[in-house]
Amino acid sequence: MPDRLKVLVADDQPDSLELLRELLTVYNFELRVAPTGLEAIRIGLKWEPDLLITDIAMPDADGRHVAGRLKLSLPALVAIAVSGTPLNTDFASDDDLVFDDYFVKPIDFGRLHAVLTRHGAKTAEGAVAPAPSAAPPASRGG
């Protein structure tokens, strides 16, 4: 596994995208963000991330399509779904099998930390990153 994980975050909601970007700054990631599913696919195919965090409901290409398309070229990609509505949480649906994990908004930051740590997340100093606080930062505008 590389020293710095390459993480791509895709979400069409600017506040959600910014919140995830801020939360992930504690980790020693190379981080790219995409405001659309099609942009996430474009970035992912060129940049080849190790981990994808994607919203499900995006208008141009939903998160299932993004994760599925990227995993065709990057079979080792870890894909994490984020959604305002629960997925088929037992992963019985073939549509949801493309994801390695999922989160329903609002994101449980302690659980996200555990998932990221399991996949090699480290702080800039090289130590395992501390769990983010349970309360998310205040939303800007809205």
Side-chain angles (χ1 to χ4, degrees):
M1 183 154 288
D3 286 342
R4 289 186 75 194
L5 290 176
K6 293 165 66 173
V7 177
L8 174 59
V9 178
D11 198 315
D12 65 321
Q13 297 297 317
D15 287 345
S16 294
L17 192 61
E18 185 58 28
L19 176 62
L20 277 168
R21 182 199 311 253
E22 287 179 22
L23 287 171
L24 296 175
T25 60
V26 70
Y27 301 99
N28 187 30
F29 291 149
E30 287 183 52
L31 184 64
R32 303 253 172 107
V33 297
T36 70
L38 291 178
E39 181 71 4
I41 292 169
R42 186 190 67 73
I43 291 170
L45 291 175
K46 183 175 181 181
W47 188 54
E48 299 184 351
D50 302 300
L51 196 139
L52 169 70
I53 301 173
T54 184
D55 186 26
I56 295 296
M58 293 186 285
D60 62 348
D62 75 9
R64 289 176 179 94
H65 179 79
V66 172
R69 175 59 189 95
L70 291 179
K71 280 195 168 192
L72 285 174
S73 297
L74 306 166
L77 177 74
V78 174
I80 298 172
V82 177
S83 180
T85 58
L87 297 178
N88 184 350
T89 56
D90 62 4
F91 286 87
S93 166
D94 287 344
D95 290 338
D96 293 335
L97 289 175
V98 70
F99 293 110
D100 299 284
D101 217 320
Y102 68 92
F103 290 83
V104 177
K105 294 177 185 176
I107 296 173
D108 176 336
F109 301 113
R111 186 170 156 253
L112 178 62
H113 169 74
V115 169
L116 294 174
T117 301
R118 186 172 68 235
H119 292 292
K122 299 188 184 310
T123 62
E125 294 79 32
V128 172
S133 64
S139 178
R140 292 194 266 286

